[in-house]
Amino acid sequence: MDPEINRYILMNEAKGLVPGYPQSMLDILGKCNIAAVHGSTHKYMRGALLALISPTMIRDQLLPKIDEFMRSHLSSWDNQIINIQEKTKEMALLSSLKQIAGIESSSISQPFMTEFFKLVLGTLSLPIDLPGTNYRRGFQARKNIVSMLRQLIDARKASQETHQDMLGCLMRSDENRYQLTDEEIIDQIITLLYSGYETVSTTSMMAVKYLHDHPRVLQELRKEHLDIRKRKRPEDPIGWNDIKSMKFTRAVIYETSRLATIVNGVLRKTTKDMELNGFVIPEGWRIYVYTREINYDPFLYPDPFTFNPWRWMDKSLDSQSYFFIFGGGSRQCPGKELGIAEISTFLHYLVTRYRWKEIGGDRLMKFPRVEAPNGLHIRVSSY
């Protein structure tokens, strides 16, 4: 939990501190998944992934899809009681699917969602391969997802049409300097869906909760978004420059991620005996870099348990060396900007269209995972 040591571990993969994720995760996410590989393979896979979610790609191809998706996802909430936990989970997954498979995503979205939720549970389970265990269900779900994606890839190869989406980008061999096999493409897609799913959905849910509990923050956020709307016609989408101008929205997302830490830490494994902070860690041992506690350090964040987005309006805070909300080192979250764009677009349509009240009585857990065991219910009315 020491910020110095944690930083050292995250920054020194080359010195023998490689990812040490549990077996169930590696089995279900696939051998080529970016968390499983290291060294030159990691560089290559990360490069292929970054090409998919570069600022240019977000601006030209992904943001229009995100905007269109969020508009329709939030269109029928007026006068409804919504389980916001369920809605943000659907939103995170279906929005990613749309970015990956464009138009075809709608035909597979329902069966895909069912399998995907089983897959997520499987990665967080003990690797016990018996009927009825979460691990076996998750592993089976992976097989079903792989076959759905394989069908999609085969159909595209047969039709030879070009598609402006992530899968199209991964499959284009001519202009892509990263040549991936079908198996690698499928693992990349599963990784993309998996890594963006819980982070985006839970951060969105918690932002709705914190905004509800802090009217002043909501007022400031709404003002930022109404100003953006004023410059547009009702049918105009949110563009890259709009996202860039959402300074306070970004602060709200950072503060939500800090207070409701979605990823508590990361695992590393030693490839040789090494000394850390006066302790000898034997080869092959796992180290859990526990970053959650750093988010509540009163020296870094005065009054750490108060929800205060204004603290992030000072630019130096997210460039300080212990800012681990998105990981650190050569494995800092590659999808950081994409995730922020998704949550910002969601918040845009939420606060410019609706106001909401909690129904009350729903329990929230912050540990070991951030979740509302029975859902988080809100009553929505038009703004």
Side-chain angles (χ1 to χ4, degrees):
M1 273 156 57
D2 177 310
E4 287 292 337
I5 297 289
N6 279 353
R7 185 176 162 75
Y8 176 82
I9 294 170
L10 291 177
M11 294 303 194
N12 282 291
E13 188 164 328
K15 292 189 183 156
L17 289 153
V18 301
Y21 289 96
Q23 200 52 47
S24 47
M25 208 161 172
L26 301 179
D27 292 345
I28 291 172
L29 293 182
K31 294 193 291 293
C32 318
N33 121 58
I34 199 164
V37 294
H38 39 90
S40 58
T41 322
H42 172 252
K43 251 199 180 113
Y44 194 78
M45 294 301 275
R46 187 178 171 90
L49 195 60
L50 283 170
L52 282 185
I53 49 186
S54 65
T56 326
M57 185 81 175
I58 298 175
R59 185 189 67 209
D60 299 342
Q61 295 194 20
L62 304 179
L63 200 52
K65 292 187 175 69
I66 293 170
D67 183 87
E68 190 190 340
F69 175 82
M70 293 299 173
R71 270 173 192 255
S72 76
H73 189 67
L74 276 83
S75 60
S76 55
W77 289 17
D78 196 10
N79 292 323
Q80 300 288 321
I81 289 178
I82 298 269
N83 175 358
I84 193 72
Q85 176 166 259
E86 199 175 274
K87 282 291 181 197
T88 52
K89 279 183 175 177
E90 283 175 15
M91 170 191 99
L93 179 62
L94 297 177
S95 170
S96 297
L97 257 186
K98 187 173 181 131
Q99 294 164 55
I100 287 165
I103 308 164
E104 295 143 307
S105 64
S106 47
S107 59
I108 58 167
S109 59
Q110 283 312 322
F112 200 99
M113 200 149 59
T114 314
E115 296 303 321
F116 184 78
F117 293 157
K118 291 183 206 157
L119 177 142
V120 172
L121 275 178
T123 58
L124 303 169
S125 65
L126 290 168
I128 300 168
D129 191 12
L130 288 170
T133 60
N134 278 345
Y135 172 80
R136 167 75 67 92
R137 279 199 201 106
F139 198 66
Q140 192 51 52
R142 174 188 163 82
K143 283 185 183 158
N144 299 342
I145 284 175
V146 167
S147 89
M148 281 187 235
L149 292 172
R150 190 149 276 161
Q151 278 172 341
L152 199 58
I153 291 173
D154 291 344
R156 284 196 175 187
K157 280 182 179 164
S159 79
Q160 295 196 333
E161 279 175 52
T162 51
H163 292 261
Q164 298 295 326
D165 50 34
M166 288 184 180
L167 183 57
C169 191
L170 283 168
M171 286 174 67
R172 266 202 297 284
S173 47
D174 46 346
E175 55 196 81
N176 199 339
R177 65 192 186 94
Y178 298 99
Q179 302 292 321
L180 302 182
T181 63
D182 287 1
E183 188 190 9
E184 286 171 338
I185 288 177
I186 287 172
D187 279 359
Q188 279 281 40
I189 288 175
I190 291 176
T191 303
L192 269 167
L193 288 165
Y194 182 83
S195 47
Y197 159 70
E198 189 168 7
T199 43
V200 168
S201 66
T202 310
T203 306
S204 301
M205 169 180 86
M206 292 307 292
V208 170
K209 164 80 181 142
Y210 289 139
L211 289 168
H212 172 275
D213 295 350
H214 299 84
R216 225 181 100 228
V217 180
L218 177 57
Q219 191 184 344
E220 182 78 18
L221 183 80
R222 189 170 266 146
K223 183 177 167 303
E224 181 168 87
H225 287 278
L226 289 172
D227 285 348
I228 291 173
R229 259 311 19 125
K230 269 182 208 143
R231 303 196 291 269
K232 297 177 172 296
R233 293 170 311 189
E235 68 277 12
D236 286 349
I238 287 294
W240 187 235
N241 289 339
D242 299 318
I243 298 283
K244 284 273 166 258
S245 73
M246 297 176 184
K247 300 276 187 279
F248 191 70
T249 307
R250 199 180 180 91
V252 166
I253 293 170
Y254 277 2
E255 185 69 345
T256 302
S257 312
R258 183 190 70 79
L259 254 189
T261 310
I262 317 296
V263 181
N264 288 323
V266 291
L267 278 157
R268 292 292 181 262
K269 185 170 74 178
T270 50
T271 54
K272 51 177 191 273
D273 293 1
M274 59 172 65
E275 190 179 316
L276 276 180
N277 217 11
F279 295 93
V280 174
I281 315 278
E283 175 193 342
W285 277 40
R286 298 282 204 301
I287 300 172
Y288 190 53
V289 180
Y290 191 59
T291 49
R292 182 175 191 259
E293 236 20 70
I294 297 172
N295 292 337
Y296 309 138
D297 185 332
F299 291 105
L300 297 173
Y301 306 106
D303 215 355
F305 293 104
T306 304
F307 181 72
N308 172 18
W310 283 277
R311 69 173 89 232
W312 296 99
M313 295 307 271
D314 169 8
K315 266 280 135 291
S316 60
L317 201 55
D318 58 343
S319 54
Q320 47 110 336
S321 44
Y322 306 118
F323 178 65
F324 292 142
I325 288 173
F326 298 96
S330 64
R331 290 181 181 267
Q332 194 186 19
C333 170
K336 172 185 170 185
E337 291 306 323
L338 179 60
I340 288 173
E342 289 191 80
I343 299 167
S344 303
T345 311
F346 162 71
L347 289 174
H348 176 79
Y349 288 113
L350 180 72
V351 303
T352 54
R353 288 179 180 181
Y354 302 119
R355 52 180 85 242
W356 64 96
K357 269 269 168 277
E358 268 182 37
I359 303 271
D362 286 328
R363 196 163 59 90
L364 263 180
M365 283 166 53
K366 293 259 190 86
F367 193 82
R369 291 166 70 209
V370 178
E371 58 180 333
N374 308 313
L376 188 63
H377 295 80
I378 57 174
R379 184 188 302 280
V380 180
S381 54
S382 65
Y383 175 60

